[in-house]
Coordinates of all heavy atoms in Angstrom, one line a residue:
A1 N 5.8 6.5 33.1 CA 4.6 6.6 32.2 C 4.9 7.6 31.1 O 4.6 7.3 29.9 CB 3.4 7.1 33.0
G2 N 5.6 8.7 31.4 CA 5.9 9.7 30.3 C 6.9 9.1 29.3 O 6.7 9.4 28.1
F3 N 7.8 8.3 29.8 CA 8.8 7.7 28.8 C 8.1 6.8 27.9 O 8.3 6.8 26.7 CB 9.9 6.9 29.6 CG 10.8 6.1 28.8 CD1 11.8 6.8 28.1 CD2 10.7 4.8 28.7 CE1 12.7 6.0 27.3 CE2 11.5 4.0 27.9 CZ 12.5 4.7 27.2
L4 N 7.2 5.9 28.4 CA 6.5 5.0 27.5 C 5.6 5.7 26.5 O 5.5 5.3 25.3 CB 5.7 4.0 28.4 CG 6.5 3.0 29.2 CD1 5.6 2.2 30.1 CD2 7.3 2.2 28.4
V5 N 4.9 6.7 27.0 CA 4.0 7.5 26.0 C 4.9 8.2 25.0 O 4.5 8.2 23.8 CB 3.2 8.5 26.8 CG1 2.4 9.4 25.9 CG2 2.2 7.7 27.7
A6 N 6.0 8.8 25.4 CA 6.9 9.5 24.4 C 7.4 8.5 23.4 O 7.4 8.8 22.2 CB 8.0 10.2 25.1
I7 N 7.8 7.3 23.8 CA 8.3 6.3 22.8 C 7.2 5.9 21.9 O 7.4 5.7 20.7 CB 8.9 5.1 23.6 CG1 10.1 5.5 24.4 CG2 9.2 3.9 22.6 CD1 11.3 6.0 23.5
M8 N 6.0 5.7 22.4 CA 4.9 5.3 21.6 C 4.6 6.4 20.6 O 4.3 6.1 19.4 CB 3.6 5.0 22.5 CG 2.4 4.6 21.7 SD 1.3 5.8 21.0 CE 0.9 6.9 22.4
M9 N 4.6 7.6 21.0 CA 4.3 8.7 20.1 C 5.3 8.8 19.0 O 5.0 9.0 17.8 CB 4.2 10.0 20.8 CG 3.0 10.1 21.7 SD 3.0 11.7 22.6 CE 1.4 12.3 22.4
A10 N 6.6 8.7 19.3 CA 7.6 8.8 18.3 C 7.5 7.6 17.3 O 7.6 7.8 16.1 CB 9.0 8.7 19.0
N11 N 7.3 6.4 17.8 CA 7.1 5.3 16.9 C 5.9 5.3 16.0 O 5.9 5.0 14.8 CB 7.2 4.0 17.7 CG 8.6 3.7 18.1 OD1 9.6 4.0 17.5 ND2 8.7 3.0 19.3
A12 N 4.8 5.7 16.6 CA 3.5 5.7 15.9 C 3.5 6.8 14.8 O 3.1 6.6 13.7 CB 2.3 6.0 16.9
G13 N 4.1 8.0 15.2 CA 4.2 9.1 14.2 C 5.1 8.7 13.1 O 4.7 9.0 11.9
G14 N 6.2 8.0 13.3 CA 7.1 7.6 12.2 C 6.4 6.5 11.4 O 6.6 6.5 10.2
A15 N 5.7 5.6 12.0 CA 5.0 4.6 11.2 C 3.9 5.2 10.3 O 3.8 4.8 9.2 CB 4.3 3.6 12.2
W16 N 3.1 6.2 10.8 CA 2.1 6.8 10.0 C 2.8 7.6 8.8 O 2.2 7.6 7.7 CB 1.2 7.7 10.8 CG 0.3 6.9 11.7 CD1 -0.3 5.7 11.5 CD2 -0.3 7.4 12.9 NE1 -1.1 5.4 12.5 CE2 -1.1 6.4 13.4 CE3 -0.1 8.5 13.7 CZ2 -1.8 6.5 14.6 CZ3 -0.8 8.6 14.9 CH2 -1.7 7.6 15.3
D17 N 3.9 8.2 9.1 CA 4.6 8.9 8.0 C 5.1 8.0 7.0 O 5.0 8.2 5.8 CB 5.7 9.7 8.7 CG 6.4 10.6 7.6 OD1 5.7 11.2 6.8 OD2 7.6 10.8 7.7
N18 N 5.7 6.9 7.4 CA 6.2 5.9 6.5 C 5.1 5.2 5.7 O 5.3 4.8 4.5 CB 7.1 4.9 7.2 CG 8.4 5.5 7.7 OD1 8.8 6.6 7.2 ND2 9.0 4.9 8.7
T19 N 4.0 5.0 6.3 CA 2.9 4.4 5.6 C 2.4 5.2 4.4 O 2.2 4.7 3.3 CB 1.7 4.2 6.6 OG1 2.1 3.3 7.6 CG2 0.5 3.5 5.9
K20 N 2.3 6.5 4.6 CA 1.9 7.4 3.5 C 3.0 7.3 2.4 O 2.6 7.2 1.2 CB 1.8 8.8 4.0 CG 1.3 9.7 2.9 CD 1.2 11.2 3.3 CE 2.6 11.7 3.1 NZ 2.7 13.1 3.0
K21 N 4.2 7.3 2.7 CA 5.3 7.2 1.7 C 5.2 5.9 1.0 O 5.4 5.8 -0.3 CB 6.7 7.4 2.3 CG 6.9 8.8 2.9 CD 8.2 8.9 3.6 CE 8.4 10.2 4.2 NZ 9.6 10.3 5.1
Y22 N 4.9 4.8 1.7 CA 4.8 3.5 1.1 C 3.7 3.4 0.1 O 3.8 2.9 -1.0 CB 4.6 2.5 2.2 CG 4.5 1.0 1.8 CD1 5.6 0.3 1.4 CD2 3.2 0.4 1.7 CE1 5.5 -1.0 1.0 CE2 3.1 -0.9 1.4 CZ 4.2 -1.6 1.0 OH 4.1 -2.9 0.6
I23 N 2.5 4.0 0.5 CA 1.3 4.0 -0.4 C 1.6 4.9 -1.6 O 1.2 4.5 -2.7 CB 0.1 4.4 0.4 CG1 -0.3 3.3 1.4 CG2 -1.1 4.7 -0.6 CD1 -1.4 3.7 2.3
E24 N 2.3 6.0 -1.4 CA 2.6 6.9 -2.6 C 3.6 6.2 -3.6 O 3.6 6.7 -4.7 CB 3.2 8.2 -2.1 CG 2.1 9.1 -1.4 CD 2.7 10.4 -0.9 OE1 3.9 10.5 -0.7 OE2 1.8 11.2 -0.5
Q25 N 4.2 5.2 -3.2 CA 5.1 4.4 -4.1 C 4.3 3.5 -5.0 O 4.9 2.8 -5.9 CB 6.2 3.6 -3.4 CG 7.2 4.5 -2.7 CD 8.2 3.7 -1.9 OE1 8.0 2.5 -1.6 NE2 9.3 4.4 -1.4
G26 N 3.0 3.4 -4.8 CA 2.2 2.5 -5.6 C 1.6 1.3 -4.9 O 0.8 0.6 -5.5
H27 N 1.9 1.1 -3.7 CA 1.3 0.0 -3.0 C -0.1 0.4 -2.5 O -0.4 1.5 -2.2 CB 2.2 -0.3 -1.8 CG 3.6 -0.6 -2.2 ND1 4.0 -1.9 -2.7 CD2 4.7 0.1 -2.2 CE1 5.3 -1.8 -2.9 NE2 5.8 -0.6 -2.6
S28 N -0.9 -0.7 -2.3 CA -2.3 -0.5 -1.8 C -3.1 0.5 -2.5 O -3.9 1.2 -1.9 CB -2.2 -0.1 -0.3 OG -1.6 -1.2 0.5
G29 N -3.0 0.6 -3.8 CA -3.8 1.5 -4.6 C -3.1 2.8 -5.0 O -3.6 3.5 -5.9
G30 N -2.0 3.2 -4.4 CA -1.3 4.4 -4.8 C -2.0 5.7 -4.5 O -3.0 5.7 -3.7

């Protein structure tokens, strides 16, 4: 269970970080 939660946290955190960078490049309103 801990392995699955740790993988989820690492991937979700990276996705949220990359989403902000993507929007700051001018996508979805900038």
Side-chain angles (χ1 to χ4, degrees):
F3 173 75
L4 293 175
V5 171
I7 295 296
M8 182 275 306
M9 290 176 132
N11 287 329
W16 286 331
D17 186 41
N18 291 338
T19 300
K20 186 185 81 158
K21 292 175 185 173
Y22 180 78
I23 291 172
E24 286 177 347
Q25 291 176 349
H27 304 279
S28 299

